[in-house]
Amino acid sequence: MPANPQNVIANLKELHALTGDDRGAQRVAFTPMWTKAREWFVSKLKELPVEHHFDAAGNSWVTLAGVSARSLVLGSHLDSVPNGGWLDGCLGVLTALEVFRAFAEDYNGRPPVTIRVVDWADEEGARFGRSLFGSSAFAGTHSIAADRSRTDREGITLEDALRACQIDMDKIGNASVEREHLAAYLELHIEQGPVLERMGLPLAAVTGTKGVERHSIVFHGQEAHSGSTPMSDRRDALAAAARLALEIRSIAGKHSDSVCTMGSVKTFPGIVTAVVGRCETTLDQRDLDAEVLAAMYREAQEASHRFAAQEGCTVDWSKIWSIEPIPFHPHLIDLCEEAIREVAPRSHRMPSGPLHDAAEVARLGVPTVMMFVQSLKGISHNKIEDTRIEDLMLAVDAFHRLAAKTMQWIEAQ
């Protein structure tokens, strides 16, 4: 039986109507709306011959037992950012569910290999700033000590929010038991960028996720009265930070797929009548090549010290978080391209700038690949996020073909 794209689109619209409003999707992880979305998802399993459970980290697993215990896992995440779009994350979960249904019918509930669907807990990190929460617990890269005291805007700790969802933070590492018999992992996602639309292509095979270096940078100058301090006597911390914010463009521009972003700036004392004495900023740098990423980090550090000296300031760096570039499995990339070419005139290979749960799975050495579908105007994490219906239909078809090819590959091993 072919996977039915109309079922996926109908479910996407139903989920959005249930958990969104006029500002967009509101399925922020570890909130009542997220729980509502997950309950709705479980209700869709009633007529399938499957087992469902939540693991120790809150990941939701659906299993269709096969002749072989070796498993093909299809997944993504139902959680969203606040005021998010109707496709980010949930497209992958609901397409996986439809492919799952098709396999159950094809093989009368007993496929050659075990098929599993996973909805990872808190991919976005929107509430507590800890992205890939569930998949990192699964992969064994979780950081309980660092995450325990994370708080949201209301001062609620991550640990307390987990407890409210019946998740014991000290036991989230037990999610690793789900790795048993895992043979391959596939994920469908919207691109969240403008590349495919600019190329006039609906789909792409993803070669891997870019590595990330994320740092906090604090420039220290001297607070002074804005009216009485001559320009030549100022030690303006914001001026040094501003110079770096412009310099990172040229640092990233030396490499075709690199990106650098200073996305947060806080000034102190933060009033109009005072020269900035301290400026706290953040820098996010990404590339698929580890050597390029290291070079960009080094160049940004050197530039920050140079600009600090020019403005009579000093600068301190501290790491927020980092992850190495994660390449996907070469043969699965080939299968992904093959599946795309069966439904579209041509394919394209590209890295993913955003992080995804697939990266945590691939870090384990599990054969992994992602498929991207075009995003209109390259916009995501926004209520206007959209993809053409015809492209969504192609994506469901191509992803089903990729899953079938991967299952055959697992069988042959």
Side-chain angles (χ1 to χ4, degrees):
M1 291 289 294
N4 187 342
Q6 295 294 352
N7 288 344
V8 177
I9 292 165
N11 281 337
L12 285 165
K13 291 180 177 179
E14 183 179 336
L15 177 62
H16 189 62
L18 182 70
T19 60
D21 56 29
D22 58 1
R23 297 169 299 164
Q26 305 299 337
R27 298 183 304 277
V28 176
F30 310 125
T31 66
M33 193 64 80
W34 178 65
T35 300
K36 185 177 184 179
R38 299 189 118 194
E39 290 172 348
W40 170 88
F41 176 75
V42 172
S43 74
K44 297 293 180 179
L45 307 175
K46 290 179 179 178
E47 297 180 0
L48 293 172
V50 299
E51 181 272 334
H52 171 265
H53 70 275
F54 294 100
D55 69 21
N59 301 310
S60 176
W61 293 89
V62 186
T63 303
L64 176 65
V67 175
S68 168
R70 301 192 72 205
S71 61
L72 168 61
V73 178
L74 317 174
S76 194
H77 59 98
L78 287 179
D79 68 289
S80 74
V81 297
N83 307 325
W86 73 298
L87 298 170
D88 183 5
C90 57
L91 170 63
V93 176
L94 298 179
T95 298
L97 178 63
E98 175 58 22
V99 170
F100 193 93
R101 181 201 61 76
F103 281 151
E105 292 187 12
D106 275 345
Y107 297 101
N108 294 315
R110 187 74 167 168
V113 303
T114 296
I115 310 295
R116 307 186 77 192
V117 170
V118 60
D119 163 29
W120 301 106
D122 198 8
E123 189 268 2
E124 297 288 3
R127 184 177 174 188
F128 294 98
R130 177 44 165 116
S131 301
L132 310 183
F133 175 84
S135 56
S136 68
F138 161 86
T141 58
H142 52 283
S143 49
I144 295 175
D147 294 336
R148 189 184 301 280
S149 59
R150 288 180 180 270
T151 58
D152 65 10
R153 291 182 179 180
E154 282 70 49
I156 298 171
T157 66
L158 173 56
E159 185 171 21
D160 285 343
L162 292 175
R163 188 179 297 113
C165 295
Q166 290 75 55
I167 300 170
D168 184 338
M169 190 164 196
D170 289 313
K171 296 180 180 178
I172 62 173
N174 292 343
S176 63
V177 301
E178 306 297 338
R179 302 181 205 166
E180 188 177 14
H181 304 306
L182 177 52
Y185 176 79
L186 310 177
E187 184 171 332
L188 172 67
H189 209 282
I190 55 173
E191 179 198 346
Q192 301 179 281
V195 174
L196 289 176
E197 185 178 34
R198 188 163 56 233
M199 297 179 70
L201 298 176
L203 302 166
V206 183
T207 55
T209 58
K210 293 180 180 180
V212 180
E213 286 285 350
R214 193 172 296 164
H215 291 83
S216 171
I217 309 169
V218 182
F219 290 89
H220 303 275
Q222 177 63 61
E223 295 177 15
H225 196 290
S226 62
S228 59
T229 308
M231 299 302 291
S232 59
D233 292 334
R234 297 186 178 202
R235 296 171 55 203
D236 189 337
L238 177 58
R243 286 173 178 257
L244 181 61
L246 295 176
E247 182 67 14
I248 62 168
R249 295 183 178 187
S250 61
I251 290 173
K254 298 174 184 177
H255 315 284
S256 60
D257 288 321
S258 300
V259 290
C260 294
T261 306
M262 284 177 65
S264 173
V265 177
K266 297 178 183 178
T267 62
F268 300 87
I271 58 175
V272 71
T273 54
V275 175
V276 174
R278 186 170 86 256
C279 184
E280 299 177 355
T281 70
T282 58
L283 175 62
D284 181 291
Q285 298 178 292
R286 307 189 188 210
D287 196 86
L288 193 60
D289 186 307
E291 292 185 2
V292 169
L293 187 60
M296 292 199 303
Y297 169 50
R298 183 176 61 252
E299 290 173 24
Q301 272 201 321
E302 292 170 352
S304 73
H305 287 285
R306 184 170 69 253
F307 297 139
Q310 290 172 359
E311 296 295 337
C313 300
T314 59
V315 62
D316 295 319
W317 284 64
S318 60
K319 177 173 284 190
I320 297 174
W321 179 74
S322 66
I323 187 172
E324 69 273 21
I326 309 292
F328 290 153
H329 194 276
H331 185 65
L332 292 190
I333 294 171
D334 289 343
L335 292 183
C336 188
E337 275 206 309
E338 187 178 299
I340 290 170
R341 287 195 298 267
E342 288 176 3
V343 303
R346 58 193 177 98
S347 182
H348 176 63
R349 295 189 179 198
M350 63 183 295
S352 174
L355 288 168
H356 296 282
D357 295 303
E360 288 287 6
V361 181
R363 289 175 88 178
L364 288 170
V366 174
T368 297
V369 76
M370 292 184 69
M371 181 184 292
F372 275 169
V373 61
Q374 183 191 121
S375 292
L376 292 176
K377 300 180 181 178
I379 294 176
S380 183
H381 286 193
N382 188 302
K383 70 176 184 179
I384 68 169
E385 166 190 287
D386 206 5
T387 295
R388 294 181 185 87
I389 295 297
E390 55 267 34
D391 288 348
L392 291 176
M393 295 177 72
L394 286 177
V396 173
D397 188 359
F399 192 74
H400 183 204
R401 292 168 184 263
L402 170 60
K405 293 174 188 294
T406 305
M407 182 167 59
Q408 292 170 359
W409 177 68
I410 294 170
E411 279 187 275
Q413 289 181 325

